[in-house]
Amino acid sequence: MNAPAIYSLKGKRVFVAGHRGMAGSAIVRRLEREDCEILSIERAALDLRRQGDVEAWFAAHRPHAVFLAAGTVGGIMANATRPAEFLTDNLLIELNTIETAYRSGVEKLLFLGSSCIYPKFAAQPIREEELLTGALEPTNEPYAIAKIAGVKLCETYRRQYGSDFISAMPTNLFGPGDSYAPGSAHVLPALIDRAHKAKIEALSELVVWGSGTPRREFLYVDDLADACVFLMQRYSGPEHLNVGFGDDIAIADLAAMIANIVGFEGRIVLDPTKPDGTPRKLLDTGRLAAMGWRPKVDFSEGLSRAYRWYLDNVA
Ligand code: GDP
């Protein structure tokens, strides 16, 4: 049974920060089924890193609720080559948006973090309590520190000012709107893109970075969006909540599944000169499950949908 609804979006002005991103655009799609007014703004028109601009925009549009899905994101290489941007952009966006939401009397805010906030060697599946119990994975430490700051902003604004600000920690996401830029993409879109090109160019090999043994959990982004709306309506509390799929897969097995869906029939070869990153990060989603929420999109179905989106929008 679902936890009771405690916050209604009906008739509310709901700001989705980061509506062009994969998570934000899925939240917009999901909110279209709610009786609310969706507010969004292009990055060129409002840079969330500029406090004065954020304050002016909130004063003009007065949102009741905010989904904070904006941020600088990327895969293991983007994190390694642009660490200062990952730290600074995310800190500025969170601080400006959360502080301004508080000052302008926003009723409810949901901050989206990331499963990389947890220690590199956290006990698996990772429970919410693992936060700050050990050293972070070095390949994404700046991003993780910014996201931990976001969790703490929500927690402390609640404690000091009584703001109903909550945070959700999604696992690795995939689906429509994903970034396929070679070099900066996450593993799943990177492998879809490479397998597709290998097929088209009739190459004999699909290269997979690292040892192939790290395990990752993947959640279809429309499931994440559904969980965010669920939490907005039914959760209020200082603890951040994990949003996961409940199962993970080795990178080598993921590559084989993607090759199969794409129709690439050559060999899969490993490139051990590339970093593995954290060995495993499967989230424990017991708390969210106890509230009545579960993902709906099966993994291979999600992969097929992601590939179709790639064919229509990227390839
Ligand atoms: P992470 O979850 O923060 O480590 O980020 P990624 O999604 O970038 O990488 C996940 C795992 O997939 C790492 O072990 C990578 O080395 C591995 N991987 C294999 N092939 C690729 C690829 O083509 N691109 C990326 N980004 N990762 C890859």
Side-chain angles (χ1 to χ4, degrees):
M1 223 187 44
N2 285 346
I6 51 175
Y7 181 73
S8 173
L9 290 167
K10 194 170 161 53
K12 300 287 170 70
R13 288 185 296 277
V14 183
F15 176 36
V16 181
H19 75 293
R20 289 282 179 203
M22 176 167 57
S25 58
I27 291 171
V28 168
R29 282 197 293 283
R30 175 61 187 79
L31 284 174
E32 281 162 358
R33 292 172 15 218
E34 300 292 320
D35 185 11
C36 64
E37 182 189 345
I38 303 168
L39 305 177
S40 62
I41 172 87
E42 298 304 322
R43 189 181 303 196
L46 175 63
D47 185 340
L48 292 170
R49 296 172 301 183
R50 296 182 179 276
Q51 188 181 6
D53 295 357
V54 175
E55 286 169 353
W57 190 87
F58 270 71
H61 298 275
R62 309 217 58 87
H64 297 101
V66 176
F67 287 88
L68 180 42
T72 291
V73 298
I76 197 163
M77 281 301 171
N79 274 271
T81 51
R82 292 158 38 214
E85 274 175 62
F86 276 77
L87 181 58
T88 313
D89 287 1
N90 289 303
L91 282 174
L92 285 170
I93 290 168
E94 292 159 9
L95 193 52
N96 291 339
T97 311
I98 291 170
E99 163 74 5
T100 309
Y102 157 63
R103 297 236 169 251
S104 59
V106 163
E107 297 166 354
K108 189 140 192 177
L109 176 145
L110 180 141
F111 168 67
L112 270 182
S114 159
S115 61
C116 70
I117 63 164
Y118 293 113
K120 173 167 185 161
F121 297 111
Q124 309 281 324
I126 308 172
R127 298 171 62 218
E128 285 85 354
E129 294 80 357
E130 291 283 327
L131 183 62
L132 295 173
T133 57
L136 297 164
E137 157 59 37
T139 56
N140 55 31
E141 188 191 79
Y143 178 75
I145 286 185
K147 288 294 182 182
I148 292 170
V151 172
K152 293 297 169 187
L153 283 167
C154 292
E155 191 185 307
T156 55
Y157 276 62
R158 170 181 297 274
R159 181 153 27 109
Q160 186 171 346
Y161 308 124
S163 306
D164 194 358
F165 296 172
I166 59 175
S167 23
M169 294 309 115
T171 189
N172 299 36
L173 303 170
F174 73 106
D178 211 345
S179 164
Y180 283 84
S184 70
H186 285 103
V187 59
L188 194 151
L191 290 179
I192 287 181
D193 183 55
R194 218 167 314 117
H196 177 77
K197 287 176 178 155
K199 181 180 88 165
I200 298 297
E201 294 162 23
L203 303 180
S204 59
E205 291 182 346
L206 168 64
V207 177
V208 175
W209 297 356
S211 65
T213 59
R215 300 183 69 84
R216 293 289 183 274
E217 176 188 24
F218 298 97
L219 180 70
Y220 193 69
V221 70
D222 288 274
D223 270 335
L224 168 79
D226 190 60
C228 289
V229 171
F230 181 96
L231 288 173
M232 188 65 116
Q233 293 168 329
R234 296 169 197 275
Y235 179 67
S236 176
E239 297 93 16
H240 58 282
L241 287 186
N242 288 342
V243 185
F245 181 65
D247 197 9
D248 62 359
I249 180 170
I251 296 300
D253 295 334
L254 172 72
M257 268 183 95
I258 288 175
N260 187 34
I261 280 170
V262 168
F264 168 76
E265 290 173 346
R267 285 191 313 136
I268 293 174
V269 296
L270 299 169
D271 175 1
T273 66
K274 294 289 199 303
D276 267 348
T278 200
R280 195 178 184 201
K281 46 177 172 180
L282 176 64
L283 294 181
D284 183 320
T285 49
R287 285 207 186 151
L288 188 54
M291 294 178 67
W293 188 87
R294 269 171 195 73
K296 292 166 193 72
V297 182
D298 165 76
F299 184 51
S300 60
E301 168 60 23
L303 271 186
S304 300
R305 287 195 211 171
Y307 183 48
R308 226 172 296 138
W309 188 88
Y310 167 86
L311 289 176
D312 293 343
N313 297 275
V314 183

